[in-house]
Amino acid sequence: MKLLRDTWLIFQRHMLLMLRSPLWVVLGVAQPAVYLILFAPLLKPALASVGANTMSDAYKIYVPGMLIALALAGGLYVGFGLLGDLANGVIERSRVTTVSRVALLLGRSLRDVVTVIVQCIIITVLSLPFGVFVNIGSLLLGYAILALCALSSASISYGIAIRVANPSVLGQVVNNIAQPLMLLSGTLLPLALAPLWLRTVADFNPFNWAAKGLRALFIGDTGNPAIWQSIVIAAGLMVVAVIWSARTFSRSVR
């Protein structure tokens, strides 16, 4: 119970800090919005082989992948904020309080999840003029998958940040992780278009499964087993990532 209360308190604090500078939320969707308007229209011919007979079909395939990329990148780069707090003594001052060390991390991570989901909602709304209409139940389930992905990537970022404790090194490590994960999750184009060896490698990427499940929800294929598979895999990754980062964080601030 104390962990939940402390997590809620830390979450509230970081949400208030975020609300004081909401411009960051808008800036986070600027690049995806540009891709939505300028890149997605080029995809209809390329996606015809996977069932995109109209521009609306092409967007329903492309937008879920872009949302996965947003959840992945939006979480992996939050570690820089933690390094800033460590350098400014914010975490050090928190040590003298009775707040749970794990809550210090979980509260921040949940703030990051809310940020990503708000950004995903904005992108979804911007997709409406392009014919991307999704059943509300499927959309909510899709946001749940995105939340699991964002919590996983944010936890991984915080864990790495604590380990390296250097912004320059963190940037290199995160870039080297983010690029292959995005390429192997089919965020720009479905991996159904890829050669067999690449699809085989991508099957070991949890975010690829999340992209498959989200695309199934957006096209209305609610009976597709990729949906429950993506939920199970994303939840499993989230549990492992949170436990690892929480233990790393707890040891570092004793």
Side-chain angles (χ1 to χ4, degrees):
M1 185 61 69
K2 181 180 184 301
L3 175 61
L4 294 177
R5 185 179 68 251
D6 290 348
T7 300
W8 175 247
L9 290 174
I10 299 300
F11 169 72
Q12 286 181 306
R13 175 182 178 276
H14 285 286
M15 282 299 298
L16 288 174
L17 292 174
M18 185 190 72
L19 292 174
R20 291 176 185 175
S21 55
L23 182 61
W24 288 107
V25 177
V26 178
L27 291 176
V29 300
Q31 188 175 28
V34 170
Y35 270 81
L36 185 70
I37 297 170
L38 301 180
F39 179 74
L42 306 175
L43 294 177
K44 182 186 172 185
L47 297 177
S49 61
V50 292
N53 299 316
T54 65
M55 188 60 68
S56 174
D57 292 337
Y59 271 95
K60 287 182 179 179
I61 294 174
Y62 175 70
V63 171
M66 185 168 56
L67 295 181
I68 292 294
L70 185 60
L72 179 57
L76 283 178
Y77 288 92
V78 298
F80 292 99
L82 177 60
L83 290 183
D85 283 352
L86 287 169
N88 294 327
V90 175
I91 303 299
E92 184 69 22
R93 290 192 294 271
S94 300
R95 291 175 61 185
V96 301
T97 69
T98 60
V99 175
S100 166
R101 303 296 186 259
V102 176
L104 291 173
L105 179 72
L106 289 178
R108 300 176 69 101
S109 299
L110 292 176
R111 182 276 315 269
D112 300 326
V113 171
V114 171
T115 302
V116 167
I117 294 303
V118 170
Q119 293 173 335
C120 289
I121 292 173
I122 294 174
I123 293 297
T124 305
V125 172
L126 293 176
S127 303
L128 293 177
F130 302 102
V132 181
F133 298 100
V134 186
N135 176 274
I136 187 63
S138 298
L139 191 60
L140 292 176
L141 187 56
Y143 287 152
I145 295 173
L146 290 168
L148 292 173
C149 292
L151 184 54
S152 299
S153 58
S155 299
I156 292 170
S157 181
Y158 286 135
I160 296 174
I162 295 166
R163 291 281 187 178
V164 301
N166 184 306
S168 298
V169 177
L170 178 62
Q172 292 296 324
V173 173
V174 168
N175 285 333
N176 289 332
I177 292 175
Q179 188 175 34
L181 284 179
M182 286 190 183
L183 291 175
L184 289 174
S185 59
T187 54
L188 293 179
L189 291 171
L191 287 173
L193 303 173
L196 178 60
W197 70 266
L198 190 59
R199 281 178 282 159
T200 302
V201 174
D203 284 341
F204 293 94
N205 178 10
F207 296 98
N208 176 42
W209 290 96
K212 289 180 180 179
L214 200 58
R215 285 192 171 109
L217 288 169
F218 267 62
I219 65 176
D221 187 11
T222 54
N224 194 319
I227 296 174
W228 67 262
Q229 290 171 345
S230 66
I231 295 173
V232 171
I233 293 173
L237 176 64
M238 180 271 294
V239 171
V240 172
V242 168
I243 291 175
W244 172 71
S245 62
R247 293 185 64 181
T248 303
F249 188 81
S250 297
R251 292 170 180 171
S252 70
V253 297
R254 284 178 181 174

